[in-house]
Amino acid sequence: MRINVAAFAVLAVVVTAGCAGALLGEDLDFESGETVIEESTAKDAGYELQLSEREEYSQTIDVGDDGNQTNVTVKSHMARYGQVDDDMPAGTGPVQVGTVTIPEATIAGQSVNPLLQMDTYELAARYVGGFDESGFEEHDNYTLQPFDDDSDANVTVFRVEPDEPDAEPTAFIHVLQTQRDDTGDTIVGYVMYPVDEEESETAERLLGALEYTPPEELEDSDAEDG
């Protein structure tokens, strides 16, 4: 399966003049919490955390109509998992598992986070290696409760369409997308696997066992470590 991750373009955002006074001369930072798969669930399914890192985007936005500008930095978190004893780098194996946590990042009711301009398909294309721009179709939907708060999350299942007519699909991708009520963070979880791996039940189990840490708890932990 060829790797063809969709390109990521930063979008320009113009903020309404009503908040100009509050923003002049200020650099704004928005940082998400972190989401991982519960460790024992991942281990039981044969997966382990291979990569946990911050992904940072910076852009300059226009404030009002007088040419003033403000620098905005958006910090998301992503985690990638690999099969135990698999030597392939995270995100490149035949089965890919990961999570992305995206901050809300709004000013005067307008989003300044380009990731939140994307739909579920585009987010999958952004993060899942092998998710081509063409040849994928929506196959199914289901809901589950990924956190301990009993909130429902929707999962969209995409399938890779084969080149030959009437042939079986070659792979499936389960993509969960939900928003946290407590912080506004958007959570994306994904599992991609070839058809012959038969990982559908595993995908549901992994996406149904997410653990979320809000940004303020991360800050407290960093302070204690320091």
Side-chain angles (χ1 to χ4, degrees), residues 14-216:
V14 178
V15 181
T16 56
C19 64
L23 297 178
L24 290 178
E26 295 183 10
D27 290 340
L28 301 179
D29 292 327
F30 298 93
E31 187 165 358
S32 73
E34 297 183 2
T35 306
V36 296
I37 298 170
E38 197 272 323
E39 186 175 3
S40 64
T41 300
K43 184 177 180 180
D44 290 344
Y47 293 87
E48 61 185 0
L49 181 64
Q50 292 184 337
L51 178 69
S52 175
E53 66 180 15
R54 286 282 165 184
E55 192 173 28
E56 183 174 312
Y57 322 112
S58 296
Q59 59 182 316
T60 300
I61 63 173
D62 296 328
V63 181
D65 300 322
D66 52 5
N68 290 306
Q69 295 182 320
T70 295
N71 295 319
V72 176
T73 300
V74 178
K75 300 175 183 177
S76 299
H77 176 265
M78 63 179 181
R80 288 179 175 169
Y81 292 76
Q83 292 174 303
V84 177
D85 299 326
D86 189 346
D87 294 330
M88 299 188 70
T92 62
V95 179
Q96 297 184 42
V97 180
T99 62
V100 186
T101 311
I102 306 168
E104 187 173 25
T106 58
I107 301 175
Q110 298 187 47
S111 175
V112 293
N113 189 341
L115 291 175
L116 298 183
Q117 310 290 335
M118 300 180 181
D119 59 23
T120 302
Y121 180 96
E122 293 169 320
L123 282 168
R126 172 73 177 92
Y127 288 100
V128 184
F131 194 107
D132 201 329
E133 283 292 338
S134 61
F136 280 77
E137 290 188 3
E138 186 172 327
H139 174 68
D140 196 11
N141 286 277
Y142 61 90
T143 59
L144 45 70
Q145 295 178 336
F147 304 106
D148 293 333
D149 57 7
D150 297 329
S151 59
D152 290 334
N154 183 69
V155 179
T156 303
V157 182
F158 297 96
R159 65 183 183 185
V160 184
E161 293 300 317
D163 295 330
E164 300 80 13
D166 301 323
E168 292 294 321
T170 58
F172 291 98
I173 304 178
H174 296 228
V175 184
L176 173 148
Q177 184 173 353
T178 189
Q179 186 176 38
R180 296 285 305 187
D181 291 335
D182 49 356
T183 63
D185 282 355
T186 292
I187 312 299
V188 178
Y190 60 86
V191 180
M192 183 179 79
Y193 56 92
V195 170
D196 56 8
E197 294 283 346
E198 299 181 352
E199 290 285 85
S200 179
E201 291 185 5
T202 299
E204 293 188 33
R205 183 151 45 111
L206 293 171
L207 295 177
L210 301 184
E211 292 184 335
Y212 171 77
T213 304
E216 60 270 18

